[in-house]
Amino acid sequence: MANALIIVDVQNDFCEGGSLAVAGGAGVAAGISGLLAGEPQRWDHVVATKDYHVDPGAHFGDPPDYVESWPRHCVVGTQGSEFHPDLVTDRVEAVFHKGEHAAAYSGFEGHADDGETLADWLRRRDVDRVDVVGIATDHCVRATALDAAREGFATTVLLDLTAAVAPATLDVALRAMDGAGVALPGEPVISAA
């Protein structure tokens, strides 16, 4: 069997200066790159997810409520949808786009350019263990980790390589992930104190 690293939504709009920035996002990008360079044999496979919005309907709010609706972000064709420049992507074997026409938080809701889902991609490569990193701990990282566990993968979130939006939502996310059997080593960066 094999293991994989899933890099969740380390995109410009979710990092400092972006339309839906999470404090510490750029540091997460650099930290992931450093870990991949420092431990090149740690994972058999590396994949990434992208928020990839065309017209996600009520997912964009005017004004946003920051619960169900958000400012415009990660619109296809914009600089905001691109990976942060501090994330080195040469090890990324596949990118899974999510949320073109509806809200989507989990990478397991996405698909590669050929339409293959993340779960199918991992299974075809005999992956049984995944580590999840990225942005934001309390939203897309949480959703991706919970779906990975539901899909039967032994799942770990490397919290030191995640950034969270707020303490309240982080606490809910950590309890949910722990309850699903997700391993949670480390501490995330938290935007709001």
Side-chain angles (χ1 to χ4, degrees), residues 46-193:
V46 179
V47 298
T49 70
K50 273 189 175 184
D51 240 21
Y52 207 68
H53 298 312
V54 175
D55 180 10
H59 186 59
F60 289 166
D62 186 20
D65 64 16
Y66 295 92
V67 177
E68 298 293 329
S69 66
W70 308 90
R72 289 178 61 81
H73 61 277
C74 299
V75 174
V76 174
T78 67
Q79 188 62 28
S81 72
E82 298 302 319
F83 289 122
H84 189 276
D86 290 344
L87 179 67
V88 177
T89 59
D90 59 343
R91 289 275 318 273
V92 174
E93 297 170 60
V95 177
F96 296 86
H97 299 115
K98 59 189 176 63
E100 287 98 326
H101 299 286
Y105 294 90
S106 170
F108 287 86
E109 296 176 80
H111 57 83
D113 287 339
D114 64 3
E116 186 170 30
T117 67
L118 176 54
D120 289 344
W121 192 96
L122 294 169
R123 285 193 182 100
R124 278 198 315 109
R125 288 156 179 82
D126 295 323
V127 171
D128 63 339
R129 300 176 320 281
V130 297
D131 290 342
V132 182
V133 298
I135 306 167
T137 323
D138 34 356
H139 295 284
C140 295
V141 169
R142 173 195 55 81
T144 300
L146 290 174
D147 278 354
R150 273 190 216 101
E151 290 282 350
F153 299 101
T155 305
T156 299
V157 173
L158 304 177
L159 290 173
D160 291 343
L161 294 175
T162 70
V165 173
T169 49
L170 174 62
D171 185 57
V172 170
L174 293 175
R175 282 187 277 121
M177 291 187 288
D178 183 61
V182 174
L184 301 167
E187 294 291 331
V189 175
I190 304 174
S191 282

